[in-house]
Amino acid sequence: MAVIPVQLAGRSYNVLVEHGLRDDVANVASAFLRKDIVPIVADANAKAHHGERLEAALAAAGRKAAWFEVASGEASKSWQGLQELTDWLLAQGVERGDHVFALGGGVVGDLTGFACAILKRGCGFVQIPTTLLAQVDSGVGGKTAINTAAGKNLIGAFHQPALVLIDPATLDTLPDREMRAGYAEVIKYGILGDREFFDWLAENGQKVVARDPDALVHAISTSVAAKARIVAEDERETSGARALLNLGHTFGHALEAETGFSDKLLHGEGVALGMVLAARYSARRGLVSDEDAALVARAIAASGLPSEISQLGLDCDGRKLADHMLHDKKMESGTLPFILLRSIGAAYLAKDVALDDVASFLDEQLQ
Ligand code: GLY
């Protein structure tokens, strides 16, 4: 079993990665099972696929699950969803020293984490992420939030889980498109900070997307270790280190906004395209070679992810895409920080990017 510590003063925790871990949950999470009834917040699909096995694992240790089901999709991360969940947790008698389990993707993890951050001024929670995206990104690091009419993740808290259990076998039932979208966040770690990992993924990425067990464990463990290092260095995104995780997200956000945050472009697909654009824009500024930018695009395309914005069939110009960026929540005093590349494996936070220049670059890309 891979055990990856996230080291934070007074709030350190482990991320465990192993095939079949869901069947061993009562054992590996025993320290967080204080009572006979275990409150589990679950995405409806995740419960359908993994609920029975989780119940059986808990029953073997004399525990019983109490389920709160969350409808799949971002709409569940709402004030109403939060109210229903916190009311349910209170009705379950959850106390500060208890731990609530979150089974599912980023929606369930973010909603449950935020509910636990505010329930009785903070109770514990255990993440069992069941999408690749949540396993390598949102399930680790303690960002929790809901959405409001003003935008995504604008109301939230930093609240670290007490334990993260990653069972790559839970990905067997994940649709291929979501698997590829999660892979975008895997290759991101290579592009932003680990050339060796990028090269390994350029060779083995298709195995990861095809769920080869060894390739998957290596990809997940390496990604989580990278995230753990970054979170330990900059938990609250104040020094710039954690901001590097936003590589591809500013360009990606503009594309997601232009496609109406719809199924036309999943978040991970937007990030994949965004990383290609960030690499090409870095090349345009003379920071990396055209060959490196092409390598990034090829590695992304090889996994089956979109790598050219022409694939989206957009009816807009670069200015319109750049204007979407003005609503990005990373805007700070009127400027928008961009994550650019000095080389593959060396990203940095650039604060000198003019949106006019980005708009004319995007015009070229849209040709
Ligand atoms: N998903 C970006 C972060 O955790 O900071």
Side-chain angles (χ1 to χ4, degrees):
M1 181 182 343
V3 180
I4 301 148
V6 182
Q7 276 156 340
L8 295 162
R11 279 159 298 119
S12 296
Y13 57 96
N14 285 329
V15 182
L16 311 183
V17 185
E18 189 176 61
H19 264 272
L21 203 55
R22 67 191 151 174
D23 297 323
D24 204 19
V25 65
N27 188 24
V28 291
S30 61
F32 307 105
L33 299 169
R34 255 188 358 158
K35 296 177 180 161
D36 291 344
I37 307 288
V38 183
I40 306 181
V41 184
D43 166 271
N45 287 328
K47 181 171 181 253
H49 289 126
H50 316 295
E52 266 181 37
R53 293 179 77 140
L54 209 54
E55 273 182 355
L58 291 170
R63 319 278 177 180
K64 207 169 166 334
W67 294 97
F68 181 90
E69 211 170 291
V70 174
S72 302
E74 284 285 324
S76 294
K77 279 172 59 177
S78 62
W79 283 115
Q80 190 189 332
L82 180 69
Q83 184 177 348
E84 287 169 9
L85 175 55
T86 47
D87 282 347
W88 181 80
L89 292 171
L90 291 170
Q92 292 295 311
V94 172
E95 297 169 335
R96 277 193 188 162
D98 293 336
H99 289 83
V100 178
F101 285 57
L103 177 78
V107 167
V108 160
D110 284 8
L111 176 67
T112 308
F114 187 40
C116 291
I118 57 177
L119 193 95
K120 298 187 177 172
R121 300 203 176 93
C123 70
F125 78 117
V126 171
Q127 290 265 29
I128 311 181
T130 58
T131 65
L132 183 56
L133 192 143
Q135 291 180 351
V136 300
D137 186 24
S138 62
V140 179
K143 277 190 180 174
T144 73
I146 57 168
N147 306 324
T148 70
K152 283 170 72 171
N153 296 329
L154 294 182
I155 303 291
F158 287 97
H159 186 54
Q160 298 293 343
L163 178 70
V164 183
L165 303 177
I166 297 178
D167 180 352
T170 59
L171 302 177
D172 288 350
T173 48
L174 196 68
D176 290 346
R177 187 176 174 203
E178 273 195 57
M179 190 71 194
R180 286 194 296 272
Y183 178 78
E185 301 281 0
V186 172
I187 198 166
K188 185 184 77 177
Y189 291 106
I191 300 169
L192 77 85
D194 186 344
R195 175 69 199 238
E196 204 180 307
F197 187 43
F198 174 83
D199 289 340
W200 184 85
L201 290 168
E203 281 284 308
N204 298 283
Q206 276 146 326
K207 283 194 206 161
V208 175
V209 174
R211 303 165 175 84
D212 172 276
D214 292 340
L216 202 46
V217 167
H218 179 69
I220 293 171
S221 305
T222 308
S223 301
V224 169
K227 179 138 191 191
R229 274 195 302 277
I230 290 171
V231 170
E233 185 183 336
D234 182 20
E235 182 185 10
R236 289 180 173 247
E237 208 168 317
T238 47
S239 78
R242 189 162 183 167
L244 298 184
L245 295 174
N246 294 326
L247 173 65
H249 283 61
T250 303
F251 285 110
H253 172 86
L255 298 172
E256 283 183 271
E258 184 59 25
T259 48
F261 293 99
S262 67
D263 280 359
K264 195 165 175 202
L265 187 71
L266 300 183
H267 173 70
E269 294 167 343
V271 170
L273 282 164
M275 289 189 292
V276 173
L277 293 172
R280 287 185 182 154
Y281 186 67
S282 301
R284 187 186 207 252
R285 289 174 58 127
L287 293 161
V288 294
S289 65
D290 288 339
E291 177 51 25
D292 272 0
L295 267 179
V296 168
R298 274 205 298 279
I300 283 172
S303 67
L305 281 162
S307 60
E308 300 296 330
I309 44 177
S310 56
Q311 290 170 260
L312 299 181
L314 299 178
D315 182 21
C316 69
D317 60 7
R319 167 53 52 195
K320 187 160 180 236
L321 287 178
D323 283 349
H324 287 304
M325 296 175 183
L326 293 170
H327 304 293
D328 196 298
K329 66 178 175 303
K330 295 181 285 299
M331 278 293 280
E332 210 181 288
S333 313
T335 64
L336 184 58
F338 273 78
I339 311 302
L340 300 181
L341 299 181
R342 290 207 171 90
S343 64
I344 296 177
Y348 79 103
L349 183 64
K351 294 194 171 173
D352 60 345
V353 175
L355 272 190
D356 285 346
D357 192 43
V358 170
S360 71
F361 162 72
L362 287 170
D363 272 335
E364 290 161 23
Q365 295 296 310
L366 284 160
Q367 309 272 304

